[in-house]
Amino acid sequence: MVDTSSLRTSSRTASQAATRGRHPSSPTRTAAPRRPAAPARRSGIASRLARVPTATGLLVLVGVLCVFGLVMVGSASPVISMSLYGSTWGIFIRQVMWMGIGLVALAAFSRIDYRKWRKIQVPLLIGSMGLLVIVLAPGLGVTAGGSSRWIGFGQFRLQPSE
Protein backbone atom coordinates (compact mmCIF):
# COMPACT_ATOMS: atom_id res chain seq x y z
CA MET A 1 0.00 0.00 0.00
CA VAL A 2 1.05 3.52 -0.75
CA ASP A 3 0.86 6.17 1.88
CA THR A 4 -1.14 9.01 0.29
CA SER A 5 -0.35 11.52 3.00
CA SER A 6 3.30 11.69 1.96
CA LEU A 7 2.28 12.19 -1.71
CA ARG A 8 0.07 15.09 -0.81
CA THR A 9 2.85 16.68 1.21
CA SER A 10 5.43 16.27 -1.56
CA SER A 11 3.07 17.62 -4.23
CA ARG A 12 2.19 20.54 -2.03
CA THR A 13 5.87 21.24 -1.44
CA ALA A 14 6.56 21.06 -5.18
CA SER A 15 3.75 23.47 -6.02
CA GLN A 16 4.81 25.86 -3.28
CA ALA A 17 8.38 25.71 -4.53
CA ALA A 18 7.26 26.33 -8.09
CA THR A 19 5.40 29.44 -7.06
CA ARG A 20 8.50 30.68 -5.32
CA GLY A 21 10.72 29.85 -8.28
CA ARG A 22 12.73 27.20 -6.44
CA HIS A 23 13.24 23.51 -6.84
CA PRO A 24 11.54 21.45 -4.08
CA SER A 25 14.85 20.04 -2.90
CA SER A 26 16.62 23.41 -2.75
CA PRO A 27 17.24 24.95 0.65
CA THR A 28 14.76 27.50 1.94
CA ARG A 29 17.41 30.19 2.29
CA THR A 30 17.39 32.62 -0.65
CA ALA A 31 20.54 33.89 -2.29
CA ALA A 32 21.40 37.58 -2.36
CA PRO A 33 20.31 39.35 -5.55
CA ARG A 34 23.00 39.59 -8.19
CA ARG A 35 24.46 42.95 -9.04
CA PRO A 36 24.68 43.84 -12.69
CA ALA A 37 28.10 43.32 -14.18
CA ALA A 38 30.28 46.39 -14.40
CA PRO A 39 30.74 47.68 -17.94
CA ALA A 40 33.97 46.62 -19.55
CA ARG A 41 36.62 49.28 -19.22
CA ARG A 42 38.07 50.62 -22.40
CA SER A 43 41.73 51.34 -22.41
CA GLY A 44 43.96 53.53 -24.49
CA ILE A 45 42.69 55.01 -27.73
CA ALA A 46 39.25 53.37 -27.50
CA SER A 47 38.44 55.23 -24.27
CA ARG A 48 39.55 58.55 -25.74
CA LEU A 49 37.58 58.02 -28.96
CA ALA A 50 34.44 57.17 -27.01
CA ARG A 51 34.49 60.68 -25.53
CA VAL A 52 35.03 62.60 -28.81
CA PRO A 53 31.88 64.34 -30.10
CA THR A 54 30.69 63.24 -33.52
CA ALA A 55 31.14 66.67 -35.13
CA THR A 56 34.74 66.85 -33.91
CA GLY A 57 35.46 63.37 -35.19
CA LEU A 58 34.04 64.24 -38.62
CA LEU A 59 36.03 67.46 -38.74
CA VAL A 60 39.26 65.64 -37.92
CA LEU A 61 38.48 62.98 -40.52
CA VAL A 62 37.83 65.61 -43.21
CA GLY A 63 41.07 67.37 -42.26
CA VAL A 64 43.08 64.15 -42.53
CA LEU A 65 41.54 63.37 -45.92
CA CYS A 66 42.29 66.90 -47.16
CA VAL A 67 45.93 66.66 -46.09
CA PHE A 68 46.16 63.24 -47.74
CA GLY A 69 44.68 64.71 -50.93
CA LEU A 70 47.16 67.60 -50.90
CA VAL A 71 50.05 65.16 -50.56
CA MET A 72 48.73 63.14 -53.51
CA VAL A 73 48.18 66.23 -55.70
CA GLY A 74 51.57 67.63 -54.75
CA SER A 75 53.39 64.42 -55.60
CA ALA A 76 51.46 63.58 -58.79
CA SER A 77 51.25 66.95 -60.55
CA PRO A 78 54.69 68.64 -60.84
CA VAL A 79 55.38 67.56 -64.42
CA ILE A 80 51.95 68.56 -65.76
CA SER A 81 51.97 71.71 -63.63
CA MET A 82 55.34 72.72 -65.08
CA SER A 83 54.07 72.38 -68.66
CA LEU A 84 50.75 74.20 -67.95
CA TYR A 85 51.73 76.92 -65.47
CA GLY A 86 55.53 77.18 -65.69
CA SER A 87 55.85 76.16 -62.03
CA THR A 88 55.87 72.79 -60.35
CA TRP A 89 53.52 74.16 -57.67
CA GLY A 90 50.74 75.52 -59.94
CA ILE A 91 48.18 72.72 -59.55
CA PHE A 92 49.04 72.28 -55.87
CA ILE A 93 48.42 75.99 -55.20
CA ARG A 94 45.05 75.81 -57.01
CA GLN A 95 44.10 72.81 -54.86
CA VAL A 96 45.05 74.68 -51.68
CA MET A 97 43.03 77.69 -52.86
CA TRP A 98 39.89 75.60 -53.48
CA MET A 99 40.41 73.82 -50.18
CA GLY A 100 40.52 77.19 -48.41
CA ILE A 101 37.28 78.25 -50.13
CA GLY A 102 35.74 74.96 -49.04
CA LEU A 103 36.89 75.56 -45.45
CA VAL A 104 35.26 78.99 -45.41
CA ALA A 105 32.04 77.48 -46.82
CA LEU A 106 32.17 74.70 -44.20
CA ALA A 107 32.50 77.26 -41.40
CA ALA A 108 29.65 79.36 -42.80
CA PHE A 109 27.22 76.50 -43.43
CA SER A 110 27.97 74.78 -40.13
CA ARG A 111 26.41 77.77 -38.37
CA ILE A 112 23.04 77.13 -40.04
CA ASP A 113 20.61 74.76 -38.34
CA TYR A 114 20.02 71.80 -40.64
CA ARG A 115 16.24 71.92 -40.07
CA LYS A 116 16.09 75.30 -41.84
CA TRP A 117 17.21 73.66 -45.08
CA ARG A 118 13.85 71.86 -45.24
CA LYS A 119 12.11 75.16 -45.99
CA ILE A 120 14.07 75.59 -49.23
CA GLN A 121 14.46 71.97 -50.27
CA VAL A 122 12.21 72.26 -53.35
CA PRO A 123 13.99 75.34 -54.83
CA LEU A 124 17.37 73.68 -54.18
CA LEU A 125 16.24 70.52 -55.97
CA ILE A 126 14.91 72.50 -58.94
CA GLY A 127 18.13 74.55 -59.06
CA SER A 128 20.35 71.47 -59.07
CA MET A 129 18.25 69.87 -61.82
CA GLY A 130 18.53 73.11 -63.80
CA LEU A 131 22.32 73.07 -63.48
CA LEU A 132 22.39 69.50 -64.76
CA VAL A 133 20.38 70.57 -67.82
CA ILE A 134 22.54 73.68 -68.45
CA VAL A 135 25.52 71.36 -68.99
CA LEU A 136 23.85 70.28 -72.23
CA ALA A 137 23.39 73.87 -73.49
CA PRO A 138 25.79 74.81 -76.32
CA GLY A 139 28.22 77.52 -75.25
CA LEU A 140 27.76 76.88 -71.53
CA GLY A 141 28.57 73.19 -71.29
CA VAL A 142 32.22 72.25 -71.72
CA THR A 143 32.60 69.18 -73.93
CA ALA A 144 35.63 66.95 -73.41
CA GLY A 145 36.08 63.43 -74.71
CA GLY A 146 32.63 63.44 -76.28
CA SER A 147 30.71 64.20 -73.09
CA SER A 148 29.52 67.37 -71.38
CA ARG A 149 29.97 67.35 -67.63
CA TRP A 150 31.10 70.86 -66.80
CA ILE A 151 29.69 74.38 -66.97
CA GLY A 152 32.36 76.83 -68.05
CA PHE A 153 32.65 80.60 -67.69
CA GLY A 154 36.17 81.69 -68.71
CA GLN A 155 38.58 80.08 -66.25
CA PHE A 156 35.77 79.04 -63.88
CA ARG A 157 34.57 75.44 -64.17
CA LEU A 158 31.68 73.90 -62.26
CA GLN A 159 30.65 70.27 -62.25
CA PRO A 160 26.98 70.23 -61.14
CA SER A 161 26.91 66.50 -60.46
CA GLU A 162 29.24 67.11 -57.52
Side-chain angles (χ1 to χ4, degrees):
M1 283 243 149
V2 178
D3 183 17
T4 57
S5 64
S6 65
L7 287 176
R8 285 187 206 136
T9 307
S10 65
S11 66
R12 188 175 21 208
T13 308
S15 65
Q16 289 171 350
T19 58
R20 291 185 198 144
R22 292 186 286 124
H23 190 270
S25 63
S26 66
T28 57
R29 200 173 90 188
T30 59
R34 290 186 180 193
R35 282 187 271 164
R41 287 187 159 234
R42 295 178 178 166
S43 61
I45 295 174
S47 67
R48 289 187 207 118
L49 287 177
R51 289 181 257 151
V52 174
T54 303
T56 304
L58 285 174
L59 189 61
V60 167
L61 182 64
V62 166
V64 168
L65 289 173
C66 285
V67 169
F68 183 74
L70 284 176
V71 169
M72 293 297 112
V73 167
S75 67
S77 65
V79 174
I80 296 172
S81 184
M82 185 66 171
S83 66
L84 291 176
Y85 301 106
S87 168
T88 56
W89 296 100
I91 294 175
F92 179 79
I93 290 171
R94 275 184 71 171
Q95 184 72 19
V96 170
M97 178 192 69
W98 284 110
M99 202 169 290
I101 291 171
L103 181 65
V104 170
L106 172 72
F109 286 117
S110 68
R111 304 276 183 205
I112 300 172
D113 185 20
Y114 71 93
R115 290 177 286 262
K116 292 184 179 183
W117 291 103
R118 289 185 180 170
K119 295 176 184 175
I120 59 171
Q121 68 184 353
V122 173
L124 285 175
L125 180 65
I126 292 170
S128 64
M129 291 294 197
L131 287 173
L132 289 171
V133 171
I134 288 175
V135 168
L136 301 174
L140 292 177
V142 178
T143 303
S147 65
S148 296
R149 296 187 187 117
W150 298 83
I151 298 173
F153 301 105
Q155 289 293 328
F156 180 75
R157 299 281 188 262
L158 173 72
Q159 188 173 13
S161 63
E162 291 184 2

